[in-house]
Amino acid sequence: MSPLPEFLTFAVVGALAQLVDGALGMAYGVTSAGLLLGLGMPPVMASASVHYAETFTCGASGLSHLAAGNVRRRLFLALAIPGVVGALLGVWLAVHMPASWMRIALTPYLLGMGLFLLLRGSKRPGEHAEPPRGTPLLGAAAGFVDAIGGGGWSALTATTLLARGLQPRVVIGSVHLAKCIVSIAASAGFLFGIGAGHVTAVLGLIAGGIVAAPFGAFFIRRIPARAATVLAGLAVLALGVNNAVRVLH
């Protein structure tokens, strides 16, 4: 594939992934990393390339959510600071060890949390905005998993916080802005450990993601909170099924 069509392909993928991620709070990294893996890119390089791109796309998305009033400072800090620590540990492990065991461990969590959110979607959505107990530990674990597999930050943080009764738009906005900081830290670690990723893929993902980011922030303010929770549950179930299929193969 010549450089321009290849770039446009990754740009379309980045835009679609960012629309889903900006509206539901998850799936950009998983979608992008899955494509790179499907093209034969080594897992560590795929994770590195996605994090390089997410430094820009999550920044655009996070700032869009901040401007839209979807971010809460205490929740953002409770996720971002421990998330950086977890991400740096995850980068070290990703560079030195295979990541297949982490996919196995994450699959039952995603399936169970997806079902839980679907059941919760039939109830009154949460109204809290303050970080619940254990949020820093959640941020550290999510940063660690995300750095190893190229995705999983939002699947862990957003679903857990939604399940604990926080407002969907506050969760999604704060998670996105924190993800930007975590991606910067992970990118620095990968750059030091293995160097640059697939440049064309990174640039395409960045371009498509930045263009689509404001639309996701707008969308989440226009749909009912209960609908956002149900959609998040469906997205997590899809991630869990995808993980299960990849594990079995």
Side-chain angles (χ1 to χ4, degrees):
M1 186 181 293
S2 59
L4 181 58
E6 186 180 23
F7 172 83
L8 293 176
T9 298
F10 284 115
V12 170
V13 171
L16 293 175
Q18 187 61 46
L19 283 175
V20 174
D21 190 77
L24 302 182
M26 65 195 70
Y28 179 89
V30 173
T31 301
S32 303
L35 172 64
L36 297 180
L37 290 172
L39 293 175
M41 186 175 290
V44 174
M45 188 64 72
S47 181
S49 299
V50 169
H51 280 90
Y52 296 153
E54 283 183 327
T55 298
F56 297 91
T57 58
C58 285
S61 180
L63 291 176
S64 298
H65 280 293
L66 183 63
N70 298 335
V71 177
R72 294 298 179 270
R73 181 173 178 271
R74 287 187 61 191
L75 182 58
F76 160 73
L77 292 175
L79 290 170
I81 296 174
V84 166
V85 176
L88 292 176
L89 291 174
V91 167
W92 180 87
L93 189 61
V95 170
H96 294 89
M97 296 180 63
S100 58
W101 65 271
M102 184 58 70
R103 187 178 298 126
I104 295 174
L106 189 59
T107 297
Y109 173 87
L110 292 174
L111 292 172
M113 189 59 70
L115 291 172
F116 184 88
L117 284 172
L118 286 178
L119 294 174
R120 186 178 178 82
S122 64
K123 303 177 182 179
R124 181 184 177 88
E127 297 294 336
H128 304 295
E130 293 298 312
R133 182 180 301 176
T135 298
L137 181 60
L138 171 66
F144 178 78
V145 171
D146 185 83
I148 291 178
W153 166 267
S154 299
L156 287 167
T157 55
T159 54
T160 301
L161 293 172
L162 287 171
R164 298 192 67 177
L166 273 70
Q167 297 175 13
R169 73 181 185 92
V170 167
V171 169
I172 292 170
S174 302
V175 162
H176 269 73
L177 192 59
K179 171 61 176 173
C180 174
I181 306 301
V182 172
S183 292
I184 291 173
S187 295
F190 278 122
L191 189 62
F192 179 80
I194 63 172
H198 190 296
V199 176
T200 303
V202 173
L203 293 178
L205 293 173
I206 290 172
I210 289 178
V211 169
F215 297 98
F218 176 83
F219 179 65
I220 193 59
R221 289 185 62 87
R222 295 297 184 271
I223 64 173
R226 183 174 298 174
T229 304
V230 171
L231 289 174
L234 291 173
V236 175
L237 272 178
L239 293 177
V241 171
N242 177 67
N243 267 19
V245 170
R246 290 167 67 183
V247 167
L248 293 175
H249 284 77

Short mmCIF file of all heavy atoms in Angstrom, two decimals, residues 40-95:
data_model
loop_
_atom_site.label_atom_id
_atom_site.label_comp_id
_atom_site.label_asym_id
_atom_site.label_seq_id
_atom_site.Cartn_x
_atom_site.Cartn_y
_atom_site.Cartn_z
N GLY A 40 0.07 -7.28 11.41
CA GLY A 40 1.31 -7.98 11.67
C GLY A 40 2.32 -7.24 12.51
O GLY A 40 3.46 -7.69 12.65
N MET A 41 1.92 -6.13 13.09
CA MET A 41 2.85 -5.37 13.91
C MET A 41 3.04 -6.07 15.25
O MET A 41 2.09 -6.57 15.84
CB MET A 41 2.33 -3.95 14.14
CG MET A 41 3.30 -3.02 14.86
SD MET A 41 2.67 -1.32 15.00
CE MET A 41 2.77 -0.81 13.28
N PRO A 42 4.27 -6.17 15.76
CA PRO A 42 4.50 -6.79 17.07
C PRO A 42 3.71 -6.08 18.17
O PRO A 42 3.51 -4.86 18.10
CB PRO A 42 6.01 -6.60 17.28
CG PRO A 42 6.57 -6.46 15.91
CD PRO A 42 5.52 -5.75 15.11
N PRO A 43 3.22 -6.82 19.18
CA PRO A 43 2.39 -6.21 20.23
C PRO A 43 3.01 -5.00 20.91
O PRO A 43 2.32 -4.00 21.15
CB PRO A 43 2.19 -7.37 21.22
CG PRO A 43 2.29 -8.60 20.39
CD PRO A 43 3.33 -8.28 19.35
N VAL A 44 4.29 -5.06 21.22
CA VAL A 44 4.92 -3.92 21.90
C VAL A 44 4.94 -2.70 21.00
O VAL A 44 4.66 -1.58 21.44
CB VAL A 44 6.36 -4.29 22.35
CG1 VAL A 44 7.06 -3.07 22.92
CG2 VAL A 44 6.32 -5.40 23.38
N MET A 45 5.26 -2.88 19.72
CA MET A 45 5.29 -1.77 18.79
C MET A 45 3.88 -1.22 18.55
O MET A 45 3.69 0.00 18.40
CB MET A 45 5.90 -2.21 17.46
CG MET A 45 6.15 -1.07 16.48
SD MET A 45 7.36 0.12 17.11
CE MET A 45 8.87 -0.86 16.97
N ALA A 46 2.86 -2.11 18.51
CA ALA A 46 1.49 -1.66 18.34
C ALA A 46 1.05 -0.80 19.52
O ALA A 46 0.46 0.27 19.35
CB ALA A 46 0.55 -2.86 18.20
N SER A 47 1.36 -1.25 20.74
CA SER A 47 1.01 -0.47 21.93
C SER A 47 1.73 0.86 21.93
O SER A 47 1.14 1.90 22.24
CB SER A 47 1.37 -1.27 23.20
OG SER A 47 1.02 -0.53 24.36
N ALA A 48 3.01 0.86 21.56
CA ALA A 48 3.77 2.11 21.52
C ALA A 48 3.16 3.08 20.51
O ALA A 48 2.98 4.27 20.80
CB ALA A 48 5.23 1.82 21.17
N SER A 49 2.82 2.59 19.31
CA SER A 49 2.27 3.45 18.26
C SER A 49 0.94 4.06 18.68
O SER A 49 0.67 5.24 18.44
CB SER A 49 2.10 2.65 16.96
OG SER A 49 3.34 2.15 16.50
N VAL A 50 0.09 3.23 19.32
CA VAL A 50 -1.20 3.73 19.79
C VAL A 50 -1.02 4.81 20.85
O VAL A 50 -1.70 5.84 20.83
CB VAL A 50 -2.06 2.56 20.33
CG1 VAL A 50 -3.28 3.10 21.06
CG2 VAL A 50 -2.49 1.65 19.20
N HIS A 51 -0.09 4.60 21.75
CA HIS A 51 0.13 5.60 22.80
C HIS A 51 0.72 6.89 22.25
O HIS A 51 0.39 7.98 22.73
CB HIS A 51 1.02 5.02 23.91
CG HIS A 51 0.27 4.14 24.85
ND1 HIS A 51 0.14 2.79 24.65
CD2 HIS A 51 -0.41 4.42 25.99
CE1 HIS A 51 -0.59 2.27 25.63
NE2 HIS A 51 -0.92 3.24 26.46
N TYR A 52 1.58 6.78 21.24
CA TYR A 52 2.08 8.00 20.60
C TYR A 52 0.91 8.80 20.03
O TYR A 52 0.84 10.03 20.18
CB TYR A 52 3.05 7.65 19.47
CG TYR A 52 4.32 6.96 19.91
CD1 TYR A 52 5.01 6.11 19.05
CD2 TYR A 52 4.85 7.16 21.18
CE1 TYR A 52 6.18 5.47 19.44
CE2 TYR A 52 6.01 6.51 21.58
CZ TYR A 52 6.67 5.68 20.71
OH TYR A 52 7.82 5.05 21.12
N ALA A 53 -0.01 8.09 19.35
CA ALA A 53 -1.16 8.77 18.76
C ALA A 53 -2.10 9.32 19.83
O ALA A 53 -2.62 10.43 19.72
CB ALA A 53 -1.91 7.81 17.83
N GLU A 54 -2.30 8.54 20.89
CA GLU A 54 -3.24 8.95 21.94
C GLU A 54 -2.76 10.18 22.70
O GLU A 54 -3.57 10.90 23.29
CB GLU A 54 -3.48 7.80 22.92
CG GLU A 54 -4.41 6.74 22.38
CD GLU A 54 -4.69 5.65 23.41
OE1 GLU A 54 -3.79 5.33 24.21
OE2 GLU A 54 -5.81 5.11 23.40
N THR A 55 -1.47 10.42 22.70
CA THR A 55 -0.96 11.64 23.33
C THR A 55 -1.64 12.86 22.73
O THR A 55 -1.97 13.83 23.43
CB THR A 55 0.57 11.74 23.16
OG1 THR A 55 1.18 10.62 23.81
CG2 THR A 55 1.10 13.03 23.75
N PHE A 56 -1.90 12.81 21.42
CA PHE A 56 -2.53 13.94 20.73
C PHE A 56 -4.05 13.81 20.70
O PHE A 56 -4.77 14.78 20.98
CB PHE A 56 -2.00 14.04 19.30
CG PHE A 56 -0.53 14.31 19.23
CD1 PHE A 56 0.39 13.27 19.19
CD2 PHE A 56 -0.06 15.61 19.23
CE1 PHE A 56 1.75 13.53 19.12
CE2 PHE A 56 1.30 15.88 19.17
CZ PHE A 56 2.20 14.84 19.12
N THR A 57 -4.56 12.61 20.36
CA THR A 57 -6.01 12.45 20.23
C THR A 57 -6.72 12.60 21.57
O THR A 57 -7.77 13.23 21.66
CB THR A 57 -6.35 11.09 19.62
OG1 THR A 57 -5.80 10.05 20.42
CG2 THR A 57 -5.79 10.97 18.22
N CYS A 58 -6.14 12.02 22.63
CA CYS A 58 -6.76 12.15 23.95
C CYS A 58 -6.62 13.57 24.47
O CYS A 58 -7.46 14.04 25.23
CB CYS A 58 -6.14 11.15 24.94
SG CYS A 58 -6.71 9.47 24.67
N GLY A 59 -5.55 14.24 24.07
CA GLY A 59 -5.42 15.64 24.45
C GLY A 59 -6.53 16.46 23.84
O GLY A 59 -7.17 17.27 24.52
N ALA A 60 -6.80 16.25 22.54
CA ALA A 60 -7.88 16.98 21.88
C ALA A 60 -9.23 16.62 22.48
O ALA A 60 -10.07 17.49 22.75
CB ALA A 60 -7.87 16.66 20.38
N SER A 61 -9.45 15.33 22.73
CA SER A 61 -10.71 14.89 23.32
C SER A 61 -10.87 15.40 24.75
O SER A 61 -11.93 15.89 25.14
CB SER A 61 -10.79 13.36 23.30
OG SER A 61 -11.99 12.90 23.86
N GLY A 62 -9.79 15.29 25.54
CA GLY A 62 -9.85 15.75 26.92
C GLY A 62 -10.12 17.23 27.03
O GLY A 62 -10.94 17.67 27.86
N LEU A 63 -9.47 18.04 26.19
CA LEU A 63 -9.71 19.48 26.21
C LEU A 63 -11.13 19.81 25.75
O LEU A 63 -11.75 20.76 26.24
CB LEU A 63 -8.68 20.18 25.33
CG LEU A 63 -7.24 20.17 25.85
CD1 LEU A 63 -6.30 20.80 24.83
CD2 LEU A 63 -7.15 20.89 27.19
N SER A 64 -11.64 19.01 24.81
CA SER A 64 -13.03 19.20 24.36
C SER A 64 -14.00 18.94 25.50
O SER A 64 -14.97 19.68 25.70
CB SER A 64 -13.34 18.28 23.18
OG SER A 64 -12.51 18.58 22.08
N HIS A 65 -13.75 17.87 26.27
CA HIS A 65 -14.60 17.57 27.42
C HIS A 65 -14.45 18.64 28.50
O HIS A 65 -15.42 19.00 29.19
CB HIS A 65 -14.24 16.19 27.98
CG HIS A 65 -14.85 15.06 27.22
ND1 HIS A 65 -16.20 14.82 27.20
CD2 HIS A 65 -14.28 14.09 26.45
CE1 HIS A 65 -16.45 13.75 26.46
NE2 HIS A 65 -15.29 13.29 25.99
N LEU A 66 -13.23 19.15 28.69
CA LEU A 66 -13.01 20.20 29.67
C LEU A 66 -13.81 21.45 29.30
O LEU A 66 -14.46 22.06 30.15
CB LEU A 66 -11.51 20.53 29.75
CG LEU A 66 -11.08 21.57 30.79
CD1 LEU A 66 -11.38 21.07 32.20
CD2 LEU A 66 -9.59 21.87 30.65
N ALA A 67 -13.77 21.82 28.02
CA ALA A 67 -14.52 22.98 27.55
C ALA A 67 -16.03 22.76 27.67
O ALA A 67 -16.79 23.71 27.90
CB ALA A 67 -14.15 23.30 26.11
N ALA A 68 -16.46 21.50 27.54
CA ALA A 68 -17.88 21.19 27.62
C ALA A 68 -18.36 21.04 29.06
O ALA A 68 -19.55 20.80 29.31
CB ALA A 68 -18.17 19.90 26.85
N GLY A 69 -17.45 21.16 30.04
CA GLY A 69 -17.85 21.05 31.45
C GLY A 69 -18.01 19.64 31.95
O GLY A 69 -18.70 19.41 32.95
N ASN A 70 -17.34 18.67 31.29
CA ASN A 70 -17.49 17.27 31.67
C ASN A 70 -16.40 16.76 32.60
O ASN A 70 -16.42 15.58 32.97
CB ASN A 70 -17.50 16.38 30.41
CG ASN A 70 -18.64 16.70 29.48
OD1 ASN A 70 -19.67 17.21 29.90
ND2 ASN A 70 -18.47 16.42 28.21
N VAL A 71 -15.43 17.62 32.98
CA VAL A 71 -14.29 17.19 33.79
C VAL A 71 -14.42 17.71 35.22
O VAL A 71 -14.80 18.86 35.43
CB VAL A 71 -12.96 17.69 33.18
CG1 VAL A 71 -11.77 17.30 34.05
CG2 VAL A 71 -12.78 17.12 31.77
N ARG A 72 -14.09 16.85 36.21
CA ARG A 72 -14.03 17.26 37.62
C ARG A 72 -12.59 17.10 38.09
O ARG A 72 -11.99 16.02 37.93
CB ARG A 72 -14.97 16.40 38.47
CG ARG A 72 -16.44 16.60 38.14
CD ARG A 72 -16.90 18.02 38.40
NE ARG A 72 -18.31 18.21 38.07
CZ ARG A 72 -18.76 18.59 36.88
NH1 ARG A 72 -17.89 18.82 35.89
NH2 ARG A 72 -20.05 18.74 36.65
N ARG A 73 -12.03 18.14 38.68
CA ARG A 73 -10.61 18.21 39.00
C ARG A 73 -10.17 17.08 39.93
O ARG A 73 -9.14 16.44 39.70
CB ARG A 73 -10.29 19.57 39.63
CG ARG A 73 -8.81 19.76 39.98
CD ARG A 73 -8.57 21.20 40.44
NE ARG A 73 -7.18 21.40 40.83
CZ ARG A 73 -6.73 21.19 42.05
NH1 ARG A 73 -7.55 20.77 43.00
NH2 ARG A 73 -5.45 21.39 42.32
N ARG A 74 -10.91 16.82 40.99
CA ARG A 74 -10.50 15.81 41.96
C ARG A 74 -10.50 14.42 41.35
O ARG A 74 -9.58 13.62 41.59
CB ARG A 74 -11.43 15.84 43.17
CG ARG A 74 -11.23 17.04 44.09
CD ARG A 74 -12.04 16.90 45.34
NE ARG A 74 -11.66 15.72 46.10
CZ ARG A 74 -12.35 15.24 47.13
NH1 ARG A 74 -13.48 15.83 47.51
NH2 ARG A 74 -11.93 14.17 47.77
N LEU A 75 -11.48 14.13 40.54
CA LEU A 75 -11.54 12.82 39.88
C LEU A 75 -10.39 12.69 38.87
O LEU A 75 -9.75 11.64 38.78
CB LEU A 75 -12.89 12.64 39.17
CG LEU A 75 -13.13 11.30 38.46
CD1 LEU A 75 -12.99 10.15 39.43
CD2 LEU A 75 -14.50 11.29 37.80
N PHE A 76 -10.14 13.75 38.14
CA PHE A 76 -9.04 13.75 37.16
C PHE A 76 -7.70 13.47 37.84
O PHE A 76 -6.93 12.62 37.39
CB PHE A 76 -9.01 15.09 36.43
CG PHE A 76 -7.70 15.40 35.77
CD1 PHE A 76 -7.31 14.73 34.62
CD2 PHE A 76 -6.85 16.35 36.30
CE1 PHE A 76 -6.09 15.01 34.01
CE2 PHE A 76 -5.64 16.64 35.71
CZ PHE A 76 -5.25 15.97 34.55
N LEU A 77 -7.40 14.17 38.92
CA LEU A 77 -6.12 13.99 39.61
C LEU A 77 -6.01 12.61 40.25
O LEU A 77 -4.94 12.00 40.26
CB LEU A 77 -5.94 15.07 40.67
CG LEU A 77 -5.74 16.50 40.15
CD1 LEU A 77 -5.68 17.49 41.31
CD2 LEU A 77 -4.48 16.59 39.30
N ALA A 78 -7.12 12.11 40.79
CA ALA A 78 -7.11 10.79 41.44
C ALA A 78 -6.83 9.68 40.44
O ALA A 78 -6.34 8.61 40.81
CB ALA A 78 -8.45 10.54 42.14
N LEU A 79 -7.14 9.91 39.17
CA LEU A 79 -6.86 8.92 38.13
C LEU A 79 -5.49 9.14 37.48
O LEU A 79 -4.74 8.20 37.25
CB LEU A 79 -7.94 8.99 37.05
CG LEU A 79 -9.34 8.51 37.41
CD1 LEU A 79 -10.32 8.88 36.32
CD2 LEU A 79 -9.35 7.00 37.64
N ALA A 80 -5.17 10.39 37.19
CA ALA A 80 -3.99 10.70 36.36
C ALA A 80 -2.68 10.38 37.06
O ALA A 80 -1.78 9.75 36.47
CB ALA A 80 -4.02 12.16 35.93
N ILE A 81 -2.53 10.82 38.31
CA ILE A 81 -1.23 10.66 38.99
C ILE A 81 -0.88 9.19 39.20
O ILE A 81 0.20 8.74 38.81
CB ILE A 81 -1.22 11.45 40.31
CG1 ILE A 81 -1.37 12.95 40.02
CG2 ILE A 81 0.06 11.18 41.09
CD1 ILE A 81 -1.51 13.81 41.25
N PRO A 82 -1.77 8.38 39.80
CA PRO A 82 -1.44 6.95 39.92
C PRO A 82 -1.36 6.26 38.55
O PRO A 82 -0.61 5.30 38.38
CB PRO A 82 -2.60 6.38 40.75
CG PRO A 82 -3.23 7.55 41.41
CD PRO A 82 -3.05 8.69 40.45
N GLY A 83 -2.15 6.76 37.58
CA GLY A 83 -2.14 6.17 36.25
C GLY A 83 -0.78 6.27 35.58
O GLY A 83 -0.35 5.36 34.88
N VAL A 84 -0.09 7.38 35.81
CA VAL A 84 1.26 7.56 35.26
C VAL A 84 2.21 6.52 35.84
O VAL A 84 3.01 5.90 35.11
CB VAL A 84 1.77 8.99 35.55
CG1 VAL A 84 3.27 9.09 35.28
CG2 VAL A 84 1.01 10.00 34.70
N VAL A 85 2.13 6.31 37.14
CA VAL A 85 2.99 5.32 37.80
C VAL A 85 2.73 3.92 37.24
O VAL A 85 3.65 3.18 36.87
CB VAL A 85 2.78 5.34 39.32
CG1 VAL A 85 3.62 4.24 39.99
CG2 VAL A 85 3.13 6.70 39.90
N GLY A 86 1.44 3.56 37.14
CA GLY A 86 1.09 2.25 36.60
C GLY A 86 1.52 2.09 35.15
O GLY A 86 1.97 1.02 34.75
N ALA A 87 1.38 3.15 34.35
CA ALA A 87 1.75 3.08 32.95
C ALA A 87 3.24 2.84 32.76
O ALA A 87 3.66 2.04 31.92
CB ALA A 87 1.33 4.36 32.22
N LEU A 88 4.06 3.53 33.56
CA LEU A 88 5.50 3.35 33.45
C LEU A 88 5.92 1.93 33.83
O LEU A 88 6.79 1.33 33.19
CB LEU A 88 6.23 4.37 34.32
CG LEU A 88 6.10 5.83 33.84
CD1 LEU A 88 6.77 6.77 34.83
CD2 LEU A 88 6.70 6.00 32.45
N LEU A 89 5.27 1.36 34.84
CA LEU A 89 5.54 -0.03 35.20
C LEU A 89 5.09 -0.97 34.08
O LEU A 89 5.77 -1.96 33.75
CB LEU A 89 4.82 -0.39 36.50
CG LEU A 89 5.34 0.28 37.77
CD1 LEU A 89 4.44 -0.05 38.96
CD2 LEU A 89 6.78 -0.16 38.06
N GLY A 90 3.94 -0.65 33.48
CA GLY A 90 3.44 -1.48 32.38
C GLY A 90 4.34 -1.43 31.16
O GLY A 90 4.53 -2.45 30.48
N VAL A 91 4.88 -0.25 30.86
CA VAL A 91 5.80 -0.13 29.73
C VAL A 91 7.02 -1.01 29.94
O VAL A 91 7.47 -1.72 29.04
CB VAL A 91 6.22 1.34 29.53
CG1 VAL A 91 7.41 1.43 28.57
CG2 VAL A 91 5.06 2.17 29.01
N TRP A 92 7.56 -0.96 31.15
CA TRP A 92 8.74 -1.78 31.45
C TRP A 92 8.44 -3.26 31.23
O TRP A 92 9.23 -3.99 30.62
CB TRP A 92 9.19 -1.54 32.89
CG TRP A 92 10.40 -2.35 33.26
CD1 TRP A 92 11.71 -2.02 33.08
CD2 TRP A 92 10.41 -3.66 33.85
NE1 TRP A 92 12.54 -3.02 33.52
CE2 TRP A 92 11.77 -4.05 34.00
CE3 TRP A 92 9.41 -4.53 34.28
CZ2 TRP A 92 12.13 -5.27 34.56
CZ3 TRP A 92 9.77 -5.76 34.81
CH2 TRP A 92 11.12 -6.11 34.96
N LEU A 93 7.26 -3.71 31.71
CA LEU A 93 6.90 -5.11 31.56
C LEU A 93 6.63 -5.46 30.11
O LEU A 93 7.01 -6.53 29.63
CB LEU A 93 5.68 -5.43 32.42
CG LEU A 93 5.30 -6.91 32.55
CD1 LEU A 93 6.44 -7.68 33.20
CD2 LEU A 93 4.02 -7.05 33.36
N ALA A 94 5.96 -4.54 29.36
CA ALA A 94 5.66 -4.81 27.96
C ALA A 94 6.91 -4.95 27.12
O ALA A 94 6.96 -5.75 26.18
CB ALA A 94 4.79 -3.68 27.40
N VAL A 95 7.94 -4.20 27.47
CA VAL A 95 9.19 -4.26 26.72
C VAL A 95 9.92 -5.56 26.99
O VAL A 95 10.61 -6.10 26.13
CB VAL A 95 10.07 -3.04 27.06
CG1 VAL A 95 11.48 -3.21 26.49
CG2 VAL A 95 9.43 -1.77 26.53
#
